[in-house]
């Protein structure tokens, strides 16, 4: 019985993360998941996320100076945008590429992360 409940809770967390379409903090995920499971606690969300990372269904998104956020695994190569007003992080599709051209001579590029900062559409609208 206990096991079943845990499985259901993890499913809700997993579904919410997929539906969100952007990387979420555990507390953001918690408030979304509580809409369908009001009794859900933050410890359960952390446990579910850890399990999903172990299983490979979720990926940790670490922006400099921020707590880890989570997004579903298997997304195509993309980057992130952080709104400096509401502090939400969004997926940015596309990549400028050719970043190896920036490297000093003799260096080899093995990966990159790009974070854009600014105001999201909702927060920009507030400023009109
Ligand atoms: Zn915003
Ligand atoms: Zn890229």
């Amino acid at each position: 019985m206990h096991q079943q409940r845990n499985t259901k809770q993890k499913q809700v967390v997993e579904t919410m993360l997929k539906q969100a379409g952007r990387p979420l903090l555990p507390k953001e995920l918690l408030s979304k998941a509580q809409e369908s499971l009001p009794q859900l606690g933050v410890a359960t969300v952390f446990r579910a996320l850890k399990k999903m990372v172990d299983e490979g269904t979720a990926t940790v998104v670490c922006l400099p100076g921020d707590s880890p956020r989570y997004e579903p695994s298997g997304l195509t190569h993309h980057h992130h945008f952080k709104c400096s007003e509401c502090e939400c992080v969004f997926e940015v599709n596309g990549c400028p590429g050719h970043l190896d051209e920036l490297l000093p001579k003799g260096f080899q590029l093995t990966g990159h992360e790009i974070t854009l900062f600014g105001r999201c559409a909702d927060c920009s609208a507030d400023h009109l």
Side-chain angles (χ1 to χ4, degrees):
M1 185 59 206
H2 193 75
Q3 189 55 42
Q4 259 175 18
R5 200 185 68 204
N6 286 346
T7 307
K8 169 139 200 300
Q9 289 176 334
K10 179 166 163 285
Q11 271 167 6
V12 170
V13 171
E14 214 161 341
T15 305
M16 289 300 157
L17 190 64
K18 280 195 188 124
Q19 284 175 355
R22 62 181 189 81
L24 294 179
L25 293 165
K27 65 173 184 195
E28 292 177 303
L29 196 49
L30 177 67
S31 55
K32 278 184 198 295
Q34 276 175 338
E35 288 166 19
S36 51
L37 275 183
Q39 76 278 24
L40 193 72
V42 72
T44 308
V45 171
F46 272 107
R47 258 200 314 275
L49 285 171
K50 187 181 178 303
K51 195 139 191 246
M52 285 158 63
V53 171
D54 288 348
E55 290 169 353
T57 53
T59 302
V60 184
V61 176
C62 276
L63 300 191
D66 272 9
S67 318
R69 289 176 174 78
Y70 296 83
E71 67 185 17
S73 296
L75 303 176
T76 52
H77 180 81
H78 67 281
H79 295 292
H80 296 112
F81 177 98
K82 183 176 179 188
C83 176
S84 41
E85 302 254 329
C86 64
E87 302 197 329
C88 289
V89 173
F90 300 88
E91 313 281 10
V92 174
N93 288 313
C95 175
H98 307 297
L99 294 171
D100 48 351
E101 291 168 7
L102 302 175
L103 294 183
K105 197 169 162 43
F107 284 48
Q108 285 183 340
L109 190 69
T110 55
H112 67 265
E113 290 182 14
I114 298 175
T115 308
L116 305 174
F117 295 92
R119 275 198 289 265
C120 72
D122 284 352
C123 293
S124 298
D126 291 345
H127 279 255
L128 292 178

